[in-house]
Amino acid sequence: MGTKRAILRASAEIFASKGFDGATIREICQRADCNIAAINYHFGSKDFLYRQVCEMLFSMPDAFSLLQNPGKGRRLSGDWREFLALLVREFLEGAINGSTLFRCRFQIMFREMLAPSPFFPEIFEVHLRPRLAAISSFLRRILGDSINEDELNFWLFSLLSQCLYYIQNRNLVISFSGRNSFIEDNFDAIASHISSNMITLIEDARFAAEDQGSAAAPGAGRLRAQNKRRGG
C-alpha cells in the first residue's frame, strides 16, 4: 500500500471514530506510520484531507450504484418488488457486512448528520443528494407521477429510516436482544422484513390510488392488494 493510500485509510478510520474536529494530524500520522511532511505533501491541509477521504469513501460502489449506473438501468425494467428487495439487501450488506472502509463511510455520514462539520453542505450536494434523488426517482416510478413531493419524501425517508435503524442503533439492538451477533445472525430476515413491509405498503397505496379514479367501493384497493399477495 502506497503512502497516500495509507494516509487516506488511516484518516478514514480516525475521522470515523472521532469526527473532523476530534481527529488530529498526529493521530493520523501514527496510524498511517508516516510523518506530517508526507501529509502536507499529498494533501496540504486537514481540510483537503477530509474532502479526499469523503471522495474515496463515497466513490466506492454500493447499493445506490444499481440506480445511478446507466449500465444497470435495464434492471429497473423488471419487477419493482424484486428490485426493491435487492436494493434493501445490498444497502444493508454494505453497511453491516461490508469492509472497514464501508463502515467508516456510514460512521462519518452519521456524524455529519448529527453534528455537521463545515463540510456537510458539500458532502450533501456532492455525495448524498444524488443518492437520495436516485431512490426518490425509483419510488416515483412505482407510486406514479401524480404523487406530490411531500408524500414522495415520506416514502423515501421511511425506507431509509428502516435500513439505517440497525446500523445507527446497533448498540441498542445488541443490548436489548442480549446478543452481539443478533444483526449478523438475522441479516436475511431483517432485509426481508424491511423490503416486505415496504412492498406491502406500496402495493396498498398503488391500489388505493387506482380506486380514487374509479367507482370502486371504499377499501377495495386494500382488499385487491391483499388478494394479490395471497395469490387470489
Side-chain angles (χ1 to χ4, degrees):
M1 182 186 299
T3 301
K4 184 175 182 179
R5 180 70 180 178
I7 293 172
L8 284 170
R9 186 180 183 89
S11 299
E13 295 173 0
I14 298 296
F15 285 136
S17 63
K18 298 194 173 183
F20 175 78
D21 290 332
T24 67
I25 295 298
R26 184 178 299 277
E27 286 180 293
I28 293 172
C29 287
Q30 292 174 345
R31 181 73 63 91
D33 192 23
C34 70
N35 54 39
I36 294 178
I39 291 182
N40 289 334
Y41 174 77
H42 288 289
F43 302 100
S45 68
K46 181 181 173 183
D47 290 11
F48 186 70
L49 174 58
Y50 188 67
R51 288 192 175 98
Q52 289 296 292
V53 166
C54 290
E55 181 65 32
M56 174 187 70
L57 295 178
F58 283 98
S59 294
M60 295 187 298
D62 56 18
F64 302 116
S65 301
L66 297 174
L67 296 168
Q68 292 177 297
N69 189 336
K72 295 183 179 180
R74 56 185 175 81
R75 303 178 74 170
L76 285 174
S77 62
D79 184 78
W80 65 267
R81 300 164 190 81
E82 181 180 345
F83 189 86
L84 179 60
L86 175 65
L87 185 66
V88 168
R89 182 177 182 83
E90 293 207 9
F91 181 88
L92 291 173
E93 180 72 36
I96 295 173
N97 298 324
S99 66
T100 298
L101 290 180
F102 257 106
R103 291 193 292 273
C104 287
R105 181 171 73 176
F106 277 98
Q107 288 176 297
I108 288 176
M109 183 176 70
F110 289 142
R111 284 185 174 278
E112 287 291 345
M113 289 190 292
L114 294 173
S117 74
F119 307 99
F120 176 74
E122 178 181 338
I123 292 171
F124 176 76
E125 291 298 333
V126 175
H127 303 296
L128 299 182
R129 185 187 289 279
R131 286 170 163 78
L132 296 176
I135 303 173
S136 181
S137 178
F138 170 63
L139 291 173
R140 183 181 290 280
R141 289 187 60 175
I142 300 172
L143 294 162
D145 291 333
S146 62
I147 188 171
N148 65 52
E149 287 300 318
D150 285 348
E151 291 175 335
L152 186 61
N153 285 337
F154 295 157
W155 287 102
L156 170 65
F157 299 144
S158 178
L159 174 60
L160 289 177
S161 63
Q162 291 183 73
C163 292
L164 292 173
Y165 182 87
Y166 290 93
I167 306 165
Q168 191 170 15
N169 298 288
R170 182 181 182 86
N171 289 335
L172 185 150
V173 172
I174 290 174
S175 297
F176 189 75
S177 67
R179 289 162 53 195
N180 289 335
S181 60
F182 177 87
I183 296 176
E184 287 75 12
D185 292 346
N186 293 282
F187 175 80
D188 289 335
I190 290 171
S192 177
H193 179 77
I194 293 172
S195 57
S196 295
N197 281 345
M198 289 300 300
I199 289 169
T200 297
L201 292 171
I202 290 173
E203 284 182 334
D204 288 350
R206 280 160 55 96
F207 282 119
E210 290 176 9
D211 287 346
Q212 287 181 358
S214 68
R222 179 176 291 273
L223 180 60
R224 282 195 290 134
Q226 291 172 346
N227 288 337
K228 181 177 178 62
R229 288 193 291 273
R230 293 169 183 160

